[in-house]
Amino acid sequence: MSQPTAVLGVIGSDCHAVGNKIIEFALSQAGIHVVNLGVMVSQDEFIDAAIETGAQAILVSSIYGHGEIDCNGLRGRCMERGLDHIVLYVGGNLVIGKREFGEVEHLFKEMGYDRVFPPTVDLSNVAQCLKQDIAAAA
Amino acid sequence: MEFDKKLENKRLPLDAFMAERNEVLQAWPTGQDVDFEEGVRTQQALPESKRFSAALARAERDGKTLIQPRAGVALVDEHIGLLRYLEPACDLLPTTIDAYTRLNQYDKAAEGIERSAAAGTSLLNGFPAVNHGLAECRRVVESLKKPVQVRHGTPDARLLAEITLAAGFSAYEGGGISYNIPYAKKVPLERSIRHWQYCDRLVGLYEEHGVRINREPFGPLSGTLVPPFVSHSVAILEGLLALEQGCRCITLGYGQAGNMVQDIAAIRSLRELGDEFFRAAGYHDFQLTTVFHQWMGGFPENESMAYGVIGWGSAMAALAGATKVIVKTPHEAAGIPTREANKQGLDCTAQVLNMVREQGFPPSPVVEREIEIIKREVRAVLAKVFELGQGDAALGAVRAFEAGVLDVPFAPAACNAGKLMPVRDNEGAVRVFEPGRVPLPADVLDYHRERVAERARAEGREPVFQMVVDDIYAISKSRLIGRPR
Ligand code: B12
């Protein structure tokens, strides 16, 4: 299979840039082609970039706590724009405050994300999951 | 609005300021309620105990380090409840503004307020002061006994300043550089500097009316491995810009790096350099203080470990002689803290400050050498900034970022070069391993490289980006230095 491509960015009005740069570095090293949109990315910008680059996955970060507001509806918009099988990941400090991760995971899976990650996730595991999920969706 | 005149570090003429003010107050309906004269009366009616500048002056006189948390939630009564809960455990209060307001997205903030009210819990990461408006902001100040500061991260903070200062907030954080580079992606630097000249001019107008508002450039920038000379250079430039607009009470800030010698040297050099540059620019009647931020990068998730980070930062703030310390919480790695967690951070800090208060760091040639290095770095960088600006600090700042002379690591702003790469040395001090286009004196740069090489030898690996990544994670994984595992 050709090299998998993933669009990466920090959603909404979120300026946290450090994790974003590290995810790009780690996934690229693991052989994934990363299209990094950086911080403050709107849902439409994610989708436009995914269409433009033919990406098989969108990796959304939300660090600043507004994830519940900003991340909602992305799956629906992807469908509207014809991205029926795109893999959607989300990770970071997704909600306001310290909440049980199981609850957070449930909340974001309900929104249509295939996998949900806490801030402490090991990125080499993420790269592996991503390759498997992309292969399975193809 | 675009500006008809070229950016320069000159006090804005009153008529131009007033014309602009009309536009600013129309940006959101709550702006209409602001009346400057009434704002002055509100400020003048504040008792001494609620004036930020007075608290800072007292702390300086007594050699005390004041304690301040961060805190802000979506709804007014909840926000008041939160601050009242924290008030007995600290000296100075904050009102931390939410991220939508910081980017002037007041319609989104309104949605956040609505959803928070419906959910019965705050869904915003701060207090949306502009949406709540003048009367509600005044109610916040009136409900409290201690001075309150606006803490945010807003490239265009003009309307926020108008509303909160008229409501009786007596300190205002931020600056045209420090609230752009770490907080924005596409805002041109000349625009944010110009918008902050407006905020500073407003503070200057209050000063002319006998009301002293404290101004605090945001020291830590990206909070991640920022070498002291980088943040000092920005802080001093913002201090100069504020003084020119008539501000007189300036607090320069610095975010803890983690190495004891470097942190003590950083606060001492910051104070001395501020004094040096402000006087050299012809200002003499200013009130200068310092703030030390407990570690601003990634925290350990384990709360006991987080207390360790908080305690170590508190000890450094006291030993360095900072006027105030900004406090983290045991929830830092996870999310906005509960009020209880927030107070626990304050209590931890107070305990350490109280134990260290009477102790001074002994005179030390190692600290003196580090102070000298930071001073030489800042003087070299600022000399180039002024050269590029033909003597003008505002123009110089813009051109220096364009040229990569000023360069903040890990910042999201497009106008930042991002070529400078920091890394820790073998004792954990933050050094420069790739200077980009920052004009450090050759022997100072050699010193940085030597220190980094020493670590590389100790670890048996090259100082490549993986080492920087390891350093970024190190404190969250119970270390200062990101050693290979
Ligand atoms: C540094 C920092 C800042 C810097 C950011 C500089 C910059 N431009 O990057 C500054 C000081 C500017 C800042 C500002 C703010 N911050 Co801040 N910040 C932090 C801090 C201390 C560290 C973040 C960091 O860089 N970590 C290191 C990197 C490597 O880790 P990371 O960001 O978590 O990313 C990793 C993982 O999350 C994961 N990941 C992330 N996304 C994804 C996506 C996928 C698909 C996967 C698989 C994994 C993954 O992988 C990444 C790499 O390992 C955290 C707290 C902490 N973690 O200790 C708070 C924190 C993130 N900030 C927070 C907030 C709220 C803000 C502000 C809104 C101010 C405020 N109200 O307090 C503003 C932001 C305004 C805006 N418009 O966005 C909150 C978020 C609260 C919440 N979610 O409940 C935190 C958690 C602090 C807290 N406890 O209150 N901040």
Side-chain angles (χ1 to χ4, degrees), chain B residues 51-117:
Chain B
R51 295 219 54 81
F52 221 92
S53 58
L56 291 171
R58 226 176 307 122
E60 278 290 288
R61 204 185 49 224
D62 302 345
K64 215 187 141 195
T65 300
L66 302 177
I67 301 181
Q68 185 177 17
R70 295 187 174 85
V73 289
L75 305 176
V76 182
D77 288 321
E78 282 69 13
H79 185 61
I80 291 173
L82 169 62
L83 294 185
R84 277 195 172 152
Y85 181 85
L86 299 176
E87 191 164 42
C90 65
D91 303 297
L92 302 167
L93 286 164
T95 283
T96 301
I97 304 298
D98 72 287
Y100 293 143
T101 301
R102 293 170 184 221
L103 293 159
N104 315 101
Q105 297 166 341
Y106 308 121
D107 46 348
K108 282 201 182 168
E111 185 192 334
I113 293 171
E114 234 170 76
R115 292 180 60 155
S116 301

Side-chain angles (χ1 to χ4, degrees), chain A residues 66-88:
Chain A
H66 292 180
E68 271 186 88
I69 301 176
D70 296 339
C71 298
N72 203 4
L74 180 62
R75 175 60 81 187
R77 270 200 223 207
C78 284
M79 307 287 275
E80 278 167 29
R81 304 275 307 271
L83 296 175
D84 295 350
H85 301 292
I86 194 139
V87 175
L88 285 187

